[in-house]
Amino acid sequence: MFPEKNQAQAWQVTRMVKKIGIIGCGAMGSEIADYISRNLGDRLKIIAVADIDSGKAEALSSRIKPKPSVASSIEEVINKSDIIIEAASGDISGEVAEKADALKKDVLIMSTGGLLKKQHLVEKINSGHSSIHIPSGAVCGLDGLKSAMTGAVRSVTLTTRKPLKGLAGSPYLKEKNIDIEKIDKETLIYSGTAGEAIKYFPQNINVAVTLSICGIGPDKTNVKIFTSPEYTRNTHEIEIEGEFGRLWTRTENMPSKNNPKTSQLAIFSAIAKLKEII
Ligand SMILES: NC(=O)c1ccc[n+]([C@@H]2O[C@H](COP(=O)([O-])OP(=O)(O)OC[C@H]3O[C@@H](n4cnc5c(N)ncnc54)[C@H](O)[C@@H]3O)[C@@H](O)[C@H]2O)c1
């Protein structure tokens, strides 16, 4: 098919090392970076890291070889990288997605809640005409939901169970004056829409937004959040009813050792998506 030299060149092109930029050097950003340096070094090179807390960016940068630069802005990370991983906050994820997509650079968005502020991006993602990737996070069943959307979908409900410290510090608890440490039995903390849930629990329920982007939208996706001192895992149940029938999934997640709000599977899902891209 190809003369031998061209074939070798074509192979080299497809095996080109891609430059990775990481925005957010907390549990997720750090674990992804560690995985890349340990297992994907022949395909990926972390070129730049950034965090609002420069100490965290410095700490991550100094443990990776070769040492990535510590960037001082989102733009710097995007400009230097082929693939950008956002693992920071819904306050900036929409902007990161928009800027990377404008340059046609692959970008993984973990803080999916921030995408709701950029409806045009949600439409672009769903039309398949963007370079924005949303990993499946800590749930299974999104493939079924996407298929179900070909027909009529009547309801989508996410029931999440998180240990007390998986919800600590959320704006909802402050607003409702709930002392999470005083909860002594299984309690329904929240029931409402995904769109409202992500405002009250911006760091705890991105999965609800992921589900609503793939499905019937943030105002029609129902969310229930339970907590209990007995819980040790972040459990997500998804129930979907529609023309296709009924689908029910349950994922029992170990929380990340570095952040109890984040499930280990969500971190693995980012790595799996990254492998899919390359
Ligand atoms: N999609 C999903 O299913 C899913 C699952 C778990 C977590 N998340 C989200 O992914 C993100 C990362 O999770 P994590 O467990 O690593 O959180 P983390 O709190 O451990 O780390 C977040 C890091 O981002 C930094 N940061 C915050 N705001 C920033 C900003 N404006 N600019 C730059 N850096 C900023 C923080 O200083 C911190 O180091 C969070 O937004 C979290 O809510 C999504």
Side-chain angles (χ1 to χ4, degrees):
M1 236 172 24
F2 291 110
E4 215 169 279
K5 194 172 167 207
N6 286 353
Q7 212 169 21
Q9 279 169 344
W11 176 244
Q12 260 192 336
V13 169
T14 52
R15 293 285 296 182
M16 226 162 54
V17 173
K18 299 250 188 204
K19 290 177 277 181
I20 301 291
I22 297 179
I23 302 173
C25 304
M28 203 172 256
S30 301
E31 287 191 44
I32 295 169
D34 288 339
Y35 185 92
I36 292 173
S37 357
R38 275 199 312 270
N39 304 293
L40 300 170
D42 59 331
R43 308 287 307 276
L44 302 175
K45 181 182 173 191
I46 303 168
I47 192 98
V49 297
D51 198 293
I52 201 166
D53 176 343
S54 59
K56 284 189 169 183
E58 294 286 355
L60 181 60
S61 162
S62 60
R63 50 166 216 269
I64 291 174
K65 288 192 185 63
K67 193 175 188 281
S69 67
V70 172
S72 56
S73 69
I74 291 170
E75 290 79 6
E76 189 184 336
V77 178
I78 295 173
N79 288 334
K80 284 183 169 167
S81 315
D82 300 315
I83 303 175
I84 299 98
I85 300 169
E86 179 285 318
S89 155
D91 292 344
I92 57 157
S93 58
E95 187 189 344
V96 172
E98 192 165 43
K99 290 188 166 152
D101 185 60
L103 296 173
K104 299 195 172 12
K105 295 196 175 184
D106 287 304
V107 54
L108 264 69
I109 298 295
M110 295 314 302
S111 314
T112 49
L115 294 173
L116 294 186
K117 296 173 207 150
K118 307 256 180 196
Q119 198 48 42
H120 64 286
L121 290 183
V122 172
E123 280 154 29
K124 239 182 141 186
I125 293 166
N126 282 333
S127 73
H129 293 107
S130 82
S131 54
I132 304 166
H133 305 272
I134 302 182
S136 52
V139 292
C140 55
L142 296 178
D143 50 350
L145 175 57
K146 285 180 195 166
S147 303
M149 288 298 291
T150 305
V153 171
R154 278 190 296 280
S155 69
V156 179
T157 303
L158 169 72
T159 304
T160 289
R161 292 182 169 80
K162 287 206 174 194
L164 304 179
K165 57 184 175 191
L167 295 174
S170 58
Y172 185 79
L173 301 180
K174 269 187 214 137
E175 191 177 315
K176 305 288 172 190
N177 224 358
I178 299 170
D179 184 350
I180 196 96
E181 294 303 328
K182 293 212 170 117
I183 291 177
D184 57 2
K185 58 177 189 306
E186 184 174 76
T187 305
L188 174 63
I189 282 277
Y190 173 83
S191 178
T193 65
E196 195 188 56
I198 192 68
K199 289 182 193 148
Y200 284 132
F201 301 93
Q203 296 178 326
N204 322 74
I205 202 81
N206 280 283
V207 59
V209 176
T210 303
L211 200 59
S212 58
I213 289 174
C214 297
I216 54 178
D219 301 330
K220 291 187 188 146
T221 303
N222 303 307
V223 176
K224 288 183 188 149
I225 304 174
F226 289 87
T227 191
S228 164
E230 305 286 315
Y231 295 166
T232 54
R233 296 185 176 189
N234 297 332
T235 301
H236 298 297
E237 287 169 6
I238 295 173
E239 187 174 359
I240 303 165
E241 287 192 60
E243 193 182 332
F244 72 98
R246 177 176 171 268
L247 175 158
W248 182 81
T249 73
R250 178 180 166 97
T251 317
E252 296 180 2
N253 296 287
M254 296 305 293
S256 152
K257 57 186 181 312
N258 297 310
N259 182 358
K261 294 174 189 153
T262 289
S263 301
Q264 193 60 48
L265 188 64
I267 301 175
F268 289 164
S269 81
I271 295 167
K273 180 58 82 180
L274 198 55
K275 287 181 179 172
E276 214 177 286
I277 295 170
I278 60 168

